[in-house]
mmCIF file with all atom_site columns, all heavy atoms in Angstrom:
data_model
loop_
_atom_site.group_PDB
_atom_site.id
_atom_site.type_symbol
_atom_site.label_atom_id
_atom_site.label_alt_id
_atom_site.label_comp_id
_atom_site.label_asym_id
_atom_site.label_entity_id
_atom_site.label_seq_id
_atom_site.pdbx_PDB_ins_code
_atom_site.Cartn_x
_atom_site.Cartn_y
_atom_site.Cartn_z
_atom_site.occupancy
_atom_site.B_iso_or_equiv
_atom_site.pdbx_formal_charge
_atom_site.auth_seq_id
_atom_site.auth_comp_id
_atom_site.auth_asym_id
_atom_site.auth_atom_id
_atom_site.pdbx_PDB_model_num
ATOM 1   N N   . CYS A 1 1  ? 0.828  -1.207 0.000   1.00 0.00 ? 14 CYS A N   1
ATOM 2   C CA  . CYS A 1 1  ? 0.000  -0.001 0.000   1.00 0.00 ? 14 CYS A CA  1
ATOM 3   C C   . CYS A 1 1  ? 0.864  1.260  0.000   1.00 0.00 ? 14 CYS A C   1
ATOM 4   O O   . CYS A 1 1  ? 0.619  2.192  -0.766  1.00 0.00 ? 14 CYS A O   1
ATOM 5   C CB  . CYS A 1 1  ? -0.930 -0.029 1.213   1.00 0.00 ? 14 CYS A CB  1
ATOM 6   S SG  . CYS A 1 1  ? -1.984 1.414  1.382   1.00 0.00 ? 14 CYS A SG  1
ATOM 7   N N   . ARG A 1 2  ? 1.877  1.283  0.851   1.00 0.00 ? 15 ARG A N   1
ATOM 8   C CA  . ARG A 1 2  ? 2.728  2.478  0.957   1.00 0.00 ? 15 ARG A CA  1
ATOM 9   C C   . ARG A 1 2  ? 3.401  2.795  -0.379  1.00 0.00 ? 15 ARG A C   1
ATOM 10  O O   . ARG A 1 2  ? 3.359  3.934  -0.855  1.00 0.00 ? 15 ARG A O   1
ATOM 11  C CB  . ARG A 1 2  ? 3.789  2.251  2.046   1.00 0.00 ? 15 ARG A CB  1
ATOM 12  C CG  . ARG A 1 2  ? 4.713  3.443  2.282   1.00 0.00 ? 15 ARG A CG  1
ATOM 13  C CD  . ARG A 1 2  ? 5.819  3.107  3.267   1.00 0.00 ? 15 ARG A CD  1
ATOM 14  N NE  . ARG A 1 2  ? 6.727  2.085  2.769   1.00 0.00 ? 15 ARG A NE  1
ATOM 15  C CZ  . ARG A 1 2  ? 6.896  0.887  3.324   1.00 0.00 ? 15 ARG A CZ  1
ATOM 16  N NH1 . ARG A 1 2  ? 6.204  0.545  4.393   1.00 0.00 ? 15 ARG A NH1 1
ATOM 17  N NH2 . ARG A 1 2  ? 7.742  0.008  2.803   1.00 0.00 ? 15 ARG A NH2 1
ATOM 18  N N   . GLU A 1 3  ? 4.048  1.806  -0.980  1.00 0.00 ? 16 GLU A N   1
ATOM 19  C CA  . GLU A 1 3  ? 4.756  2.029  -2.244  1.00 0.00 ? 16 GLU A CA  1
ATOM 20  C C   . GLU A 1 3  ? 3.801  2.030  -3.435  1.00 0.00 ? 16 GLU A C   1
ATOM 21  O O   . GLU A 1 3  ? 3.956  2.810  -4.366  1.00 0.00 ? 16 GLU A O   1
ATOM 22  C CB  . GLU A 1 3  ? 5.827  0.946  -2.443  1.00 0.00 ? 16 GLU A CB  1
ATOM 23  C CG  . GLU A 1 3  ? 6.856  0.876  -1.325  1.00 0.00 ? 16 GLU A CG  1
ATOM 24  C CD  . GLU A 1 3  ? 7.617  2.174  -1.166  1.00 0.00 ? 16 GLU A CD  1
ATOM 25  O OE1 . GLU A 1 3  ? 7.973  2.786  -2.193  1.00 0.00 ? 16 GLU A OE1 1
ATOM 26  O OE2 . GLU A 1 3  ? 7.846  2.583  -0.016  1.00 0.00 ? 16 GLU A OE2 1
ATOM 27  N N   . GLY A 1 4  ? 2.799  1.130  -3.371  1.00 0.00 ? 17 GLY A N   1
ATOM 28  C CA  . GLY A 1 4  ? 1.888  0.998  -4.508  1.00 0.00 ? 17 GLY A CA  1
ATOM 29  C C   . GLY A 1 4  ? 1.074  2.254  -4.759  1.00 0.00 ? 17 GLY A C   1
ATOM 30  O O   . GLY A 1 4  ? 0.958  2.708  -5.906  1.00 0.00 ? 17 GLY A O   1
ATOM 31  N N   . THR A 1 5  ? 0.506  2.844  -3.697  1.00 0.00 ? 18 THR A N   1
ATOM 32  C CA  . THR A 1 5  ? -0.288 4.063  -3.899  1.00 0.00 ? 18 THR A CA  1
ATOM 33  C C   . THR A 1 5  ? 0.594  5.216  -4.364  1.00 0.00 ? 18 THR A C   1
ATOM 34  O O   . THR A 1 5  ? 0.156  6.068  -5.139  1.00 0.00 ? 18 THR A O   1
ATOM 35  C CB  . THR A 1 5  ? -1.037 4.455  -2.609  1.00 0.00 ? 18 THR A CB  1
ATOM 36  O OG1 . THR A 1 5  ? -0.121 4.536  -1.511  1.00 0.00 ? 18 THR A OG1 1
ATOM 37  C CG2 . THR A 1 5  ? -2.128 3.439  -2.271  1.00 0.00 ? 18 THR A CG2 1
ATOM 38  N N   . PHE A 1 6  ? 1.843  5.237  -3.913  1.00 0.00 ? 19 PHE A N   1
ATOM 39  C CA  . PHE A 1 6  ? 2.787  6.280  -4.361  1.00 0.00 ? 19 PHE A CA  1
ATOM 40  C C   . PHE A 1 6  ? 2.987  6.184  -5.877  1.00 0.00 ? 19 PHE A C   1
ATOM 41  O O   . PHE A 1 6  ? 2.912  7.192  -6.591  1.00 0.00 ? 19 PHE A O   1
ATOM 42  C CB  . PHE A 1 6  ? 4.116  6.122  -3.626  1.00 0.00 ? 19 PHE A CB  1
ATOM 43  C CG  . PHE A 1 6  ? 5.216  7.000  -4.167  1.00 0.00 ? 19 PHE A CG  1
ATOM 44  C CD1 . PHE A 1 6  ? 5.306  8.331  -3.794  1.00 0.00 ? 19 PHE A CD1 1
ATOM 45  C CD2 . PHE A 1 6  ? 6.152  6.497  -5.055  1.00 0.00 ? 19 PHE A CD2 1
ATOM 46  C CE1 . PHE A 1 6  ? 6.314  9.147  -4.296  1.00 0.00 ? 19 PHE A CE1 1
ATOM 47  C CE2 . PHE A 1 6  ? 7.165  7.308  -5.565  1.00 0.00 ? 19 PHE A CE2 1
ATOM 48  C CZ  . PHE A 1 6  ? 7.246  8.634  -5.180  1.00 0.00 ? 19 PHE A CZ  1
ATOM 49  N N   . TRP A 1 7  ? 3.209  4.950  -6.378  1.00 0.00 ? 20 TRP A N   1
ATOM 50  C CA  . TRP A 1 7  ? 3.452  4.803  -7.815  1.00 0.00 ? 20 TRP A CA  1
ATOM 51  C C   . TRP A 1 7  ? 2.173  4.988  -8.633  1.00 0.00 ? 20 TRP A C   1
ATOM 52  O O   . TRP A 1 7  ? 2.218  5.530  -9.749  1.00 0.00 ? 20 TRP A O   1
ATOM 53  C CB  . TRP A 1 7  ? 4.094  3.441  -8.108  1.00 0.00 ? 20 TRP A CB  1
ATOM 54  C CG  . TRP A 1 7  ? 5.540  3.447  -7.699  1.00 0.00 ? 20 TRP A CG  1
ATOM 55  C CD1 . TRP A 1 7  ? 6.100  2.774  -6.649  1.00 0.00 ? 20 TRP A CD1 1
ATOM 56  C CD2 . TRP A 1 7  ? 6.589  4.215  -8.283  1.00 0.00 ? 20 TRP A CD2 1
ATOM 57  N NE1 . TRP A 1 7  ? 7.428  3.075  -6.549  1.00 0.00 ? 20 TRP A NE1 1
ATOM 58  C CE2 . TRP A 1 7  ? 7.774  3.947  -7.538  1.00 0.00 ? 20 TRP A CE2 1
ATOM 59  C CE3 . TRP A 1 7  ? 6.669  5.101  -9.357  1.00 0.00 ? 20 TRP A CE3 1
ATOM 60  C CZ2 . TRP A 1 7  ? 8.992  4.534  -7.839  1.00 0.00 ? 20 TRP A CZ2 1
ATOM 61  C CZ3 . TRP A 1 7  ? 7.885  5.688  -9.656  1.00 0.00 ? 20 TRP A CZ3 1
ATOM 62  C CH2 . TRP A 1 7  ? 9.033  5.405  -8.896  1.00 0.00 ? 20 TRP A CH2 1
ATOM 63  N N   . LEU A 1 8  ? 1.048  4.574  -8.081  1.00 0.00 ? 21 LEU A N   1
ATOM 64  C CA  . LEU A 1 8  ? -0.215 4.844  -8.776  1.00 0.00 ? 21 LEU A CA  1
ATOM 65  C C   . LEU A 1 8  ? -0.408 6.344  -8.955  1.00 0.00 ? 21 LEU A C   1
ATOM 66  O O   . LEU A 1 8  ? -0.843 6.814  -10.007 1.00 0.00 ? 21 LEU A O   1
ATOM 67  C CB  . LEU A 1 8  ? -1.399 4.265  -7.990  1.00 0.00 ? 21 LEU A CB  1
ATOM 68  C CG  . LEU A 1 8  ? -1.566 2.739  -7.967  1.00 0.00 ? 21 LEU A CG  1
ATOM 69  C CD1 . LEU A 1 8  ? -2.756 2.354  -7.094  1.00 0.00 ? 21 LEU A CD1 1
ATOM 70  C CD2 . LEU A 1 8  ? -1.737 2.178  -9.375  1.00 0.00 ? 21 LEU A CD2 1
ATOM 71  N N   . LYS A 1 9  ? -0.078 7.088  -7.927  1.00 0.00 ? 22 LYS A N   1
ATOM 72  C CA  . LYS A 1 9  ? -0.226 8.544  -7.988  1.00 0.00 ? 22 LYS A CA  1
ATOM 73  C C   . LYS A 1 9  ? 0.677  9.143  -9.072  1.00 0.00 ? 22 LYS A C   1
ATOM 74  O O   . LYS A 1 9  ? 0.241  10.019 -9.829  1.00 0.00 ? 22 LYS A O   1
ATOM 75  C CB  . LYS A 1 9  ? 0.111  9.158  -6.628  1.00 0.00 ? 22 LYS A CB  1
ATOM 76  C CG  . LYS A 1 9  ? 0.024  10.678 -6.612  1.00 0.00 ? 22 LYS A CG  1
ATOM 77  C CD  . LYS A 1 9  ? 0.317  11.243 -5.231  1.00 0.00 ? 22 LYS A CD  1
ATOM 78  C CE  . LYS A 1 9  ? 0.282  12.766 -5.248  1.00 0.00 ? 22 LYS A CE  1
ATOM 79  N NZ  . LYS A 1 9  ? 0.534  13.349 -3.915  1.00 0.00 ? 22 LYS A NZ  1
ATOM 80  N N   . GLN A 1 10 ? 1.919  8.680  -9.161  1.00 0.00 ? 23 GLN A N   1
ATOM 81  C CA  . GLN A 1 10 ? 2.836  9.218  -10.187 1.00 0.00 ? 23 GLN A CA  1
ATOM 82  C C   . GLN A 1 10 ? 2.280  8.989  -11.588 1.00 0.00 ? 23 GLN A C   1
ATOM 83  O O   . GLN A 1 10 ? 2.271  9.883  -12.440 1.00 0.00 ? 23 GLN A O   1
ATOM 84  C CB  . GLN A 1 10 ? 4.222  8.548  -10.095 1.00 0.00 ? 23 GLN A CB  1
ATOM 85  C CG  . GLN A 1 10 ? 4.861  8.521  -8.710  1.00 0.00 ? 23 GLN A CG  1
ATOM 86  C CD  . GLN A 1 10 ? 4.926  9.885  -8.072  1.00 0.00 ? 23 GLN A CD  1
ATOM 87  O OE1 . GLN A 1 10 ? 5.447  10.824 -8.664  1.00 0.00 ? 23 GLN A OE1 1
ATOM 88  N NE2 . GLN A 1 10 ? 4.371  10.003 -6.874  1.00 0.00 ? 23 GLN A NE2 1
ATOM 89  N N   . ILE A 1 11 ? 1.809  7.760  -11.830 1.00 0.00 ? 24 ILE A N   1
ATOM 90  C CA  . ILE A 1 11 ? 1.339  7.410  -13.171 1.00 0.00 ? 24 ILE A CA  1
ATOM 91  C C   . ILE A 1 11 ? 0.035  8.135  -13.504 1.00 0.00 ? 24 ILE A C   1
ATOM 92  O O   . ILE A 1 11 ? -0.138 8.662  -14.609 1.00 0.00 ? 24 ILE A O   1
ATOM 93  C CB  . ILE A 1 11 ? 1.174  5.879  -13.295 1.00 0.00 ? 24 ILE A CB  1
ATOM 94  C CG1 . ILE A 1 11 ? 2.537  5.193  -13.120 1.00 0.00 ? 24 ILE A CG1 1
ATOM 95  C CG2 . ILE A 1 11 ? 0.573  5.515  -14.655 1.00 0.00 ? 24 ILE A CG2 1
ATOM 96  C CD1 . ILE A 1 11 ? 2.458  3.678  -13.043 1.00 0.00 ? 24 ILE A CD1 1
ATOM 97  N N   . MET A 1 12 ? -0.886 8.167  -12.547 1.00 0.00 ? 25 MET A N   1
ATOM 98  C CA  . MET A 1 12 ? -2.160 8.847  -12.790 1.00 0.00 ? 25 MET A CA  1
ATOM 99  C C   . MET A 1 12 ? -1.943 10.336 -13.074 1.00 0.00 ? 25 MET A C   1
ATOM 100 O O   . MET A 1 12 ? -2.605 10.918 -13.937 1.00 0.00 ? 25 MET A O   1
ATOM 101 C CB  . MET A 1 12 ? -3.099 8.676  -11.593 1.00 0.00 ? 25 MET A CB  1
ATOM 102 C CG  . MET A 1 12 ? -3.686 7.279  -11.418 1.00 0.00 ? 25 MET A CG  1
ATOM 103 S SD  . MET A 1 12 ? -4.637 6.652  -12.818 1.00 0.00 ? 25 MET A SD  1
ATOM 104 C CE  . MET A 1 12 ? -5.858 7.942  -13.044 1.00 0.00 ? 25 MET A CE  1
ATOM 105 N N   . THR A 1 13 ? -1.014 10.956 -12.371 1.00 0.00 ? 26 THR A N   1
ATOM 106 C CA  . THR A 1 13 ? -0.725 12.380 -12.599 1.00 0.00 ? 26 THR A CA  1
ATOM 107 C C   . THR A 1 13 ? -0.186 12.593 -14.012 1.00 0.00 ? 26 THR A C   1
ATOM 108 O O   . THR A 1 13 ? -0.565 13.540 -14.706 1.00 0.00 ? 26 THR A O   1
ATOM 109 C CB  . THR A 1 13 ? 0.278  12.896 -11.553 1.00 0.00 ? 26 THR A CB  1
ATOM 110 O OG1 . THR A 1 13 ? -0.282 12.709 -10.248 1.00 0.00 ? 26 THR A OG1 1
ATOM 111 C CG2 . THR A 1 13 ? 0.577  14.379 -11.758 1.00 0.00 ? 26 THR A CG2 1
ATOM 112 N N   . ARG A 1 14 ? 0.708  11.677 -14.459 1.00 0.00 ? 27 ARG A N   1
ATOM 113 C CA  . ARG A 1 14 ? 1.229  11.773 -15.831 1.00 0.00 ? 27 ARG A CA  1
ATOM 114 C C   . ARG A 1 14 ? 0.103  11.671 -16.852 1.00 0.00 ? 27 ARG A C   1
ATOM 115 O O   . ARG A 1 14 ? 0.017  12.451 -17.794 1.00 0.00 ? 27 ARG A O   1
ATOM 116 C CB  . ARG A 1 14 ? 2.241  10.643 -16.095 1.00 0.00 ? 27 ARG A CB  1
ATOM 117 C CG  . ARG A 1 14 ? 3.610  10.856 -15.498 1.00 0.00 ? 27 ARG A CG  1
ATOM 118 C CD  . ARG A 1 14 ? 4.678  10.093 -16.282 1.00 0.00 ? 27 ARG A CD  1
ATOM 119 N NE  . ARG A 1 14 ? 4.484  8.654  -16.293 1.00 0.00 ? 27 ARG A NE  1
ATOM 120 C CZ  . ARG A 1 14 ? 5.033  7.813  -15.426 1.00 0.00 ? 27 ARG A CZ  1
ATOM 121 N NH1 . ARG A 1 14 ? 5.772  8.271  -14.431 1.00 0.00 ? 27 ARG A NH1 1
ATOM 122 N NH2 . ARG A 1 14 ? 4.839  6.512  -15.530 1.00 0.00 ? 27 ARG A NH2 1
ATOM 123 N N   . LEU A 1 15 ? -0.781 10.700 -16.649 1.00 0.00 ? 28 LEU A N   1
ATOM 124 C CA  . LEU A 1 15 ? -1.844 10.462 -17.623 1.00 0.00 ? 28 LEU A CA  1
ATOM 125 C C   . LEU A 1 15 ? -2.831 11.623 -17.678 1.00 0.00 ? 28 LEU A C   1
ATOM 126 O O   . LEU A 1 15 ? -3.302 11.998 -18.756 1.00 0.00 ? 28 LEU A O   1
ATOM 127 C CB  . LEU A 1 15 ? -2.581 9.155  -17.287 1.00 0.00 ? 28 LEU A CB  1
ATOM 128 C CG  . LEU A 1 15 ? -1.807 7.869  -17.558 1.00 0.00 ? 28 LEU A CG  1
ATOM 129 C CD1 . LEU A 1 15 ? -2.519 6.673  -16.955 1.00 0.00 ? 28 LEU A CD1 1
ATOM 130 C CD2 . LEU A 1 15 ? -1.618 7.656  -19.067 1.00 0.00 ? 28 LEU A CD2 1
ATOM 131 N N   . GLU A 1 16 ? -3.157 12.204 -16.533 1.00 0.00 ? 29 GLU A N   1
ATOM 132 C CA  . GLU A 1 16 ? -4.133 13.294 -16.573 1.00 0.00 ? 29 GLU A CA  1
ATOM 133 C C   . GLU A 1 16 ? -3.540 14.552 -17.211 1.00 0.00 ? 29 GLU A C   1
ATOM 134 O O   . GLU A 1 16 ? -4.263 15.400 -17.712 1.00 0.00 ? 29 GLU A O   1
ATOM 135 C CB  . GLU A 1 16 ? -4.701 13.592 -15.183 1.00 0.00 ? 29 GLU A CB  1
ATOM 136 C CG  . GLU A 1 16 ? -3.766 14.274 -14.225 1.00 0.00 ? 29 GLU A CG  1
ATOM 137 C CD  . GLU A 1 16 ? -4.488 14.740 -12.953 1.00 0.00 ? 29 GLU A CD  1
ATOM 138 O OE1 . GLU A 1 16 ? -5.460 15.508 -13.068 1.00 0.00 ? 29 GLU A OE1 1
ATOM 139 O OE2 . GLU A 1 16 ? -4.057 14.348 -11.860 1.00 0.00 ? 29 GLU A OE2 1
ATOM 140 N N   . HIS A 1 17 ? -2.216 14.665 -17.190 1.00 0.00 ? 30 HIS A N   1
ATOM 141 C CA  . HIS A 1 17 ? -1.577 15.826 -17.810 1.00 0.00 ? 30 HIS A CA  1
ATOM 142 C C   . HIS A 1 17 ? -1.095 15.554 -19.237 1.00 0.00 ? 30 HIS A C   1
ATOM 143 O O   . HIS A 1 17 ? -0.339 16.345 -19.810 1.00 0.00 ? 30 HIS A O   1
ATOM 144 C CB  . HIS A 1 17 ? -0.400 16.303 -16.947 1.00 0.00 ? 30 HIS A CB  1
ATOM 145 C CG  . HIS A 1 17 ? -0.838 16.996 -15.685 1.00 0.00 ? 30 HIS A CG  1
ATOM 146 N ND1 . HIS A 1 17 ? -1.144 16.306 -14.533 1.00 0.00 ? 30 HIS A ND1 1
ATOM 147 C CD2 . HIS A 1 17 ? -1.061 18.303 -15.419 1.00 0.00 ? 30 HIS A CD2 1
ATOM 148 C CE1 . HIS A 1 17 ? -1.516 17.167 -13.597 1.00 0.00 ? 30 HIS A CE1 1
ATOM 149 N NE2 . HIS A 1 17 ? -1.479 18.379 -14.113 1.00 0.00 ? 30 HIS A NE2 1
ATOM 150 N N   . GLY A 1 18 ? -1.513 14.412 -19.802 1.00 0.00 ? 31 GLY A N   1
ATOM 151 C CA  . GLY A 1 18 ? -1.165 14.109 -21.188 1.00 0.00 ? 31 GLY A CA  1
ATOM 152 C C   . GLY A 1 18 ? 0.291  13.775 -21.391 1.00 0.00 ? 31 GLY A C   1
ATOM 153 O O   . GLY A 1 18 ? 0.827  13.937 -22.486 1.00 0.00 ? 31 GLY A O   1
ATOM 154 N N   . GLN A 1 19 ? 0.950  13.268 -20.329 1.00 0.00 ? 32 GLN A N   1
ATOM 155 C CA  . GLN A 1 19 ? 2.381  12.967 -20.403 1.00 0.00 ? 32 GLN A CA  1
ATOM 156 C C   . GLN A 1 19 ? 2.661  11.485 -20.185 1.00 0.00 ? 32 GLN A C   1
ATOM 157 O O   . GLN A 1 19 ? 3.765  11.099 -19.812 1.00 0.00 ? 32 GLN A O   1
ATOM 158 C CB  . GLN A 1 19 ? 3.128  13.806 -19.358 1.00 0.00 ? 32 GLN A CB  1
ATOM 159 C CG  . GLN A 1 19 ? 2.990  15.303 -19.590 1.00 0.00 ? 32 GLN A CG  1
ATOM 160 C CD  . GLN A 1 19 ? 3.390  16.130 -18.378 1.00 0.00 ? 32 GLN A CD  1
ATOM 161 O OE1 . GLN A 1 19 ? 3.714  15.590 -17.324 1.00 0.00 ? 32 GLN A OE1 1
ATOM 162 N NE2 . GLN A 1 19 ? 3.352  17.450 -18.522 1.00 0.00 ? 32 GLN A NE2 1
ATOM 163 N N   . GLY A 1 20 ? 1.637  10.651 -20.398 1.00 0.00 ? 33 GLY A N   1
ATOM 164 C CA  . GLY A 1 20 ? 1.806  9.223  -20.164 1.00 0.00 ? 33 GLY A CA  1
ATOM 165 C C   . GLY A 1 20 ? 2.685  8.560  -21.193 1.00 0.00 ? 33 GLY A C   1
ATOM 166 O O   . GLY A 1 20 ? 2.957  9.098  -22.260 1.00 0.00 ? 33 GLY A O   1
ATOM 167 N N   . THR A 1 21 ? 3.146  7.358  -20.850 1.00 0.00 ? 34 THR A N   1
ATOM 168 C CA  . THR A 1 21 ? 3.968  6.570  -21.772 1.00 0.00 ? 34 THR A CA  1
ATOM 169 C C   . THR A 1 21 ? 3.170  5.351  -22.232 1.00 0.00 ? 34 THR A C   1
ATOM 170 O O   . THR A 1 21 ? 2.109  5.033  -21.697 1.00 0.00 ? 34 THR A O   1
ATOM 171 C CB  . THR A 1 21 ? 5.262  6.097  -21.085 1.00 0.00 ? 34 THR A CB  1
ATOM 172 O OG1 . THR A 1 21 ? 4.917  5.150  -20.057 1.00 0.00 ? 34 THR A OG1 1
ATOM 173 C CG2 . THR A 1 21 ? 6.006  7.271  -20.454 1.00 0.00 ? 34 THR A CG2 1
ATOM 174 N N   . GLN A 1 22 ? 3.719  4.639  -23.209 1.00 0.00 ? 35 GLN A N   1
ATOM 175 C CA  . GLN A 1 22 ? 3.035  3.496  -23.799 1.00 0.00 ? 35 GLN A CA  1
ATOM 176 C C   . GLN A 1 22 ? 2.741  2.404  -22.772 1.00 0.00 ? 35 GLN A C   1
ATOM 177 O O   . GLN A 1 22 ? 1.740  1.692  -22.858 1.00 0.00 ? 35 GLN A O   1
ATOM 178 C CB  . GLN A 1 22 ? 3.905  2.928  -24.934 1.00 0.00 ? 35 GLN A CB  1
ATOM 179 C CG  . GLN A 1 22 ? 3.185  1.962  -25.855 1.00 0.00 ? 35 GLN A CG  1
ATOM 180 C CD  . GLN A 1 22 ? 2.062  2.630  -26.644 1.00 0.00 ? 35 GLN A CD  1
ATOM 181 O OE1 . GLN A 1 22 ? 2.209  3.745  -27.109 1.00 0.00 ? 35 GLN A OE1 1
ATOM 182 N NE2 . GLN A 1 22 ? 0.937  1.934  -26.769 1.00 0.00 ? 35 GLN A NE2 1
ATOM 183 N N   . ASP A 1 23 ? 3.619  2.269  -21.790 1.00 0.00 ? 36 ASP A N   1
ATOM 184 C CA  . ASP A 1 23 ? 3.485  1.171  -20.829 1.00 0.00 ? 36 ASP A CA  1
ATOM 185 C C   . ASP A 1 23 ? 2.657  1.527  -19.601 1.00 0.00 ? 36 ASP A C   1
ATOM 186 O O   . ASP A 1 23 ? 2.425  0.674  -18.740 1.00 0.00 ? 36 ASP A O   1
ATOM 187 C CB  . ASP A 1 23 ? 4.880  0.724  -20.361 1.00 0.00 ? 36 ASP A CB  1
ATOM 188 C CG  . ASP A 1 23 ? 5.744  0.221  -21.498 1.00 0.00 ? 36 ASP A CG  1
ATOM 189 O OD1 . ASP A 1 23 ? 5.170  -0.369 -22.428 1.00 0.00 ? 36 ASP A OD1 1
ATOM 190 O OD2 . ASP A 1 23 ? 6.973  0.427  -21.450 1.00 0.00 ? 36 ASP A OD2 1
ATOM 191 N N   . ASP A 1 24 ? 2.215  2.785  -19.489 1.00 0.00 ? 37 ASP A N   1
ATOM 192 C CA  . ASP A 1 24 ? 1.622  3.243  -18.230 1.00 0.00 ? 37 ASP A CA  1
ATOM 193 C C   . ASP A 1 24 ? 0.344  2.499  -17.845 1.00 0.00 ? 37 ASP A C   1
ATOM 194 O O   . ASP A 1 24 ? 0.132  2.188  -16.682 1.00 0.00 ? 37 ASP A O   1
ATOM 195 C CB  . ASP A 1 24 ? 1.351  4.748  -18.285 1.00 0.00 ? 37 ASP A CB  1
ATOM 196 C CG  . ASP A 1 24 ? 2.572  5.563  -17.861 1.00 0.00 ? 37 ASP A CG  1
ATOM 197 O OD1 . ASP A 1 24 ? 3.519  4.953  -17.325 1.00 0.00 ? 37 ASP A OD1 1
ATOM 198 O OD2 . ASP A 1 24 ? 2.570  6.783  -18.058 1.00 0.00 ? 37 ASP A OD2 1
ATOM 199 N N   . ILE A 1 25 ? -0.510 2.228  -18.816 1.00 0.00 ? 38 ILE A N   1
ATOM 200 C CA  . ILE A 1 25 ? -1.796 1.611  -18.474 1.00 0.00 ? 38 ILE A CA  1
ATOM 201 C C   . ILE A 1 25 ? -1.586 0.192  -17.953 1.00 0.00 ? 38 ILE A C   1
ATOM 202 O O   . ILE A 1 25 ? -2.139 -0.196 -16.915 1.00 0.00 ? 38 ILE A O   1
ATOM 203 C CB  . ILE A 1 25 ? -2.748 1.622  -19.674 1.00 0.00 ? 38 ILE A CB  1
ATOM 204 C CG1 . ILE A 1 25 ? -2.997 3.068  -20.119 1.00 0.00 ? 38 ILE A CG1 1
ATOM 205 C CG2 . ILE A 1 25 ? -4.071 0.933  -19.328 1.00 0.00 ? 38 ILE A CG2 1
ATOM 206 C CD1 . ILE A 1 25 ? -3.766 3.203  -21.403 1.00 0.00 ? 38 ILE A CD1 1
ATOM 207 N N   . ASP A 1 26 ? -0.756 -0.572 -18.659 1.00 0.00 ? 39 ASP A N   1
ATOM 208 C CA  . ASP A 1 26 ? -0.466 -1.935 -18.194 1.00 0.00 ? 39 ASP A CA  1
ATOM 209 C C   . ASP A 1 26 ? 0.247  -1.906 -16.839 1.00 0.00 ? 39 ASP A C   1
ATOM 210 O O   . ASP A 1 26 ? 0.024  -2.771 -15.992 1.00 0.00 ? 39 ASP A O   1
ATOM 211 C CB  . ASP A 1 26 ? 0.392  -2.681 -19.220 1.00 0.00 ? 39 ASP A CB  1
ATOM 212 C CG  . ASP A 1 26 ? -0.386 -3.000 -20.491 1.00 0.00 ? 39 ASP A CG  1
ATOM 213 O OD1 . ASP A 1 26 ? -1.635 -3.057 -20.410 1.00 0.00 ? 39 ASP A OD1 1
ATOM 214 O OD2 . ASP A 1 26 ? 0.239  -3.187 -21.543 1.00 0.00 ? 39 ASP A OD2 1
ATOM 215 N N   . LYS A 1 27 ? 1.073  -0.884 -16.649 1.00 0.00 ? 40 LYS A N   1
ATOM 216 C CA  . LYS A 1 27 ? 1.788  -0.763 -15.373 1.00 0.00 ? 40 LYS A CA  1
ATOM 217 C C   . LYS A 1 27 ? 0.813  -0.459 -14.238 1.00 0.00 ? 40 LYS A C   1
ATOM 218 O O   . LYS A 1 27 ? 0.957  -0.972 -13.126 1.00 0.00 ? 40 LYS A O   1
ATOM 219 C CB  . LYS A 1 27 ? 2.855  0.334  -15.482 1.00 0.00 ? 40 LYS A CB  1
ATOM 220 C CG  . LYS A 1 27 ? 3.921  0.283  -14.389 1.00 0.00 ? 40 LYS A CG  1
ATOM 221 C CD  . LYS A 1 27 ? 4.993  1.342  -14.617 1.00 0.00 ? 40 LYS A CD  1
ATOM 222 C CE  . LYS A 1 27 ? 5.792  1.075  -15.868 1.00 0.00 ? 40 LYS A CE  1
ATOM 223 N NZ  . LYS A 1 27 ? 6.814  2.132  -16.101 1.00 0.00 ? 40 LYS A NZ  1
ATOM 224 N N   . LEU A 1 28 ? -0.186 0.396  -14.519 1.00 0.00 ? 41 LEU A N   1
ATOM 225 C CA  . LEU A 1 28 ? -1.217 0.691  -13.521 1.00 0.00 ? 41 LEU A CA  1
ATOM 226 C C   . LEU A 1 28 ? -1.902 -0.593 -13.055 1.00 0.00 ? 41 LEU A C   1
ATOM 227 O O   . LEU A 1 28 ? -2.037 -0.846 -11.851 1.00 0.00 ? 41 LEU A O   1
ATOM 228 C CB  . LEU A 1 28 ? -2.293 1.608  -14.118 1.00 0.00 ? 41 LEU A CB  1
ATOM 229 C CG  . LEU A 1 28 ? -2.104 3.121  -14.060 1.00 0.00 ? 41 LEU A CG  1
ATOM 230 C CD1 . LEU A 1 28 ? -3.291 3.791  -14.753 1.00 0.00 ? 41 LEU A CD1 1
ATOM 231 C CD2 . LEU A 1 28 ? -1.995 3.630  -12.633 1.00 0.00 ? 41 LEU A CD2 1
#
């Protein structure tokens, strides 16, 4: 939970700002 929610937050922030990468969705 501690690490997982941190990384979910990083990826979600990238995606909402249009800065996501090809692997982000599968990584989520």
Side-chain angles (χ1 to χ4, degrees):
C14 178
R15 182 186 65 243
E16 302 300 319
T18 53
F19 171 81
W20 285 110
L21 288 178
K22 178 178 178 179
Q23 310 307 306
I24 297 172
M25 288 302 305
T26 301
R27 283 206 299 267
L28 288 169
E29 72 170 303
H30 287 85
Q32 298 164 356
T34 67
Q35 194 65 40
D36 299 327
D37 273 348
I38 300 172
D39 290 337
K40 197 176 294 179
L41 272 178

